[in-house]
Amino acid sequence: MKEYLEKLAKNETFSEAEMQLAVKSLLENEITDSEIAAFLFGLKLKGETIDEITGIVSALREKAPSFSAPAGTMDNCGTGGDGSQSFNVSTTSAFVIAGAGIPVAKHGNRSVSSKTGSSDVLEYLGVNLNLSHEAAEELLQSVGITFLFAPNIHRTMKRVMIVRKSLKIPTIFNLIGPLTNPVQLDYQMVGMYRRDLLPMFANVLKRLGRKRAVLLNGAGYMDEASLQGENHLVVLENGEIIKKVIQPEQFDLPTFSNDSIKGGSAKDNSEILQDVLQGNRSPYYYTVLLNAGIGIYTGGKASSIEAGIQLAKESIDSGAALHKLNELIENSCKYEKEVI
């Protein structure tokens, strides 16, 4: 680790392979908390490159259990951190995407910037989160959607996360969560609160082998697509990276302020999620239509976002999305809870 810290002190960049080795060293028991803090802070001061972020992500995925997945599997996990206090947009959208026939390996954790994280609301609804990776893999195959609870998947990250939180400043580890999904995804939608980093992260996903990816930052700098105004997208397709700006009016969707989609406790957000999946029209419903529509387009089931929104509406109104939620609750509870 001394060698890596000296490299950072000289403001030198790491190759992808060097960063993989550095992060593996970071996860060893012999490393002290002060060395972890120095590495995270040094990397932040220097500024991360595409090679370095790819190396970090590759090292963390290598340390996680390996998963097999159906062809066409995607994730729509966001970074959090936008401070909007919104309801669980991507979690709700995941069931709509799965209801449209796209396998979803939903990676997530407890709350980051909202009152209730994806795992908090799913746990309240009765989904068994503490599954072995074999059980999570079986759910993906049988139900078409599974939840990968980050603390179960990335157990070697526990000390790094404790140190990261104690620093009380954002580091690259606040942003890479969605990229560390251990499933070899074909498609990925990533909401980010940092608009300036969308092209860089698109290049990382290109390195990770995504067939198509959409990275987005919503109006008001949300890490979700917003009905408030302009949404900035970076689309990776066929190896090319294209920037787009979309607005709800393009898709005949109503406009609402971001304040209208605030969430609350796990109970509050579970009620919002179920209300949306039951098809009740509200700002929450239309926000999910937009986000799930982008997700369905990302996952290759629609040739355009507009067509994706129509399939999202059908997924909800037919009951398919709600059925995916109920299937996940019922089937996940057939497995014993793993002790973390």
Side-chain angles (χ1 to χ4, degrees):
M1 181 51 64
K2 181 183 176 184
E3 173 190 338
Y4 302 127
L5 293 175
E6 287 176 347
K7 195 173 176 72
L8 286 174
K10 295 174 185 174
N11 207 38
E12 294 177 358
T13 59
F14 291 71
S15 69
E16 181 180 333
E18 284 175 326
M19 185 54 76
Q20 277 188 267
L21 291 172
V23 172
K24 287 176 184 177
S25 296
L26 204 70
L27 303 177
E28 292 174 358
N29 291 330
E30 295 78 15
I31 300 298
T32 66
D33 287 356
S34 60
E35 286 175 315
I36 294 172
F39 187 83
L40 297 181
F41 193 65
L43 197 57
K44 179 181 175 64
L45 285 179
K46 184 187 72 63
E48 301 84 7
T49 66
I50 293 168
D51 278 345
E52 288 168 346
I53 297 172
T54 306
I56 294 169
V57 171
S58 297
L60 295 178
R61 293 181 72 237
E62 190 178 318
K63 287 283 187 179
S66 60
F67 284 80
S68 62
T73 296
M74 73 168 288
D75 187 11
N76 68 326
C77 176
T79 61
D82 61 12
S84 67
Q85 303 291 312
S86 61
F87 80 108
N88 302 98
V89 180
S90 65
T91 306
T92 311
S93 300
F95 293 105
V96 182
I97 294 166
I102 299 171
V104 178
K106 185 78 174 75
H107 193 240
N109 208 333
R110 300 205 182 273
S111 173
V112 176
S113 59
S114 60
K115 292 180 180 177
T116 307
S118 54
S119 59
D120 300 306
V121 71
L122 291 175
E123 192 172 51
Y124 187 88
L125 286 164
V127 175
N128 177 11
L129 302 181
N130 293 333
L131 298 170
S132 67
H133 77 274
E134 292 89 355
E137 185 177 82
E138 286 171 13
L139 285 172
L140 180 58
Q141 298 283 352
S142 63
V143 179
I145 183 168
T146 196
F147 186 77
L148 307 175
F149 186 35
N152 276 3
I153 302 300
H154 302 289
R155 298 188 183 193
T156 58
M157 281 289 292
K158 188 173 181 179
R159 277 184 63 220
V160 174
M161 291 299 97
I162 292 170
V163 173
R164 179 183 65 78
K165 288 178 181 178
S166 71
L167 283 175
K168 300 190 185 303
I169 56 168
T171 70
I172 192 63
F173 284 85
N174 291 74
L175 290 164
I176 60 170
L179 278 58
T180 63
N181 191 320
V183 175
Q184 186 52 45
L185 304 167
D186 286 321
Y187 306 106
Q188 190 159 10
M189 173 181 170
V190 182
M192 299 184 66
Y193 71 90
R194 289 276 304 273
R195 188 173 294 175
D196 59 311
L197 293 180
L198 295 178
M200 178 179 280
F201 274 58
N203 274 290
V204 174
L205 288 176
K206 181 179 178 179
R207 297 273 190 93
L208 295 175
R210 303 295 183 263
K211 293 179 180 177
R212 179 189 283 164
V214 174
L215 298 98
L216 64 86
N217 175 265
Y221 291 89
M222 287 189 71
D223 76 323
E224 315 282 0
S226 164
L227 297 173
Q228 182 170 282
E230 285 189 350
N231 297 278
H232 291 251
L233 278 59
V234 172
V235 180
L236 165 68
E237 186 163 18
N238 298 323
E240 292 189 20
I241 293 172
I242 304 161
K243 293 182 180 180
K244 293 184 179 183
V245 178
I246 63 169
Q247 301 192 55
E249 295 94 331
Q250 291 174 240
F251 311 109
D252 294 324
L253 292 173
T255 57
F256 293 101
S257 74
N258 290 340
D259 286 342
S260 67
I261 58 166
K262 285 191 173 179
S265 66
K267 179 179 183 295
D268 296 331
N269 286 12
S270 69
E271 289 171 354
I272 292 168
L273 185 152
Q274 291 176 99
D275 196 59
V276 169
L277 297 189
Q278 286 163 1
N280 296 317
R281 272 50 173 174
S282 68
Y284 303 110
Y285 170 88
Y286 290 108
T287 298
V288 168
L289 276 192
L290 178 57
N291 280 274
I294 296 170
I296 291 167
Y297 161 72
T298 304
K301 279 284 183 178
S303 58
S304 66
I305 293 173
E306 186 174 17
I309 290 170
Q310 182 56 41
L311 289 176
K313 187 176 183 298
E314 291 172 14
S315 176
I316 295 173
D317 293 349
S318 68
L322 183 61
H323 181 64
K324 287 297 179 184
L325 169 63
N326 292 329
E327 268 194 300
L328 182 61
I329 294 169
E330 181 183 349
N331 286 277
S332 69
C333 290
K334 292 177 181 177
Y335 298 93
E336 287 187 14
K337 286 192 175 185
E338 239 199 348
V339 179
I340 300 177

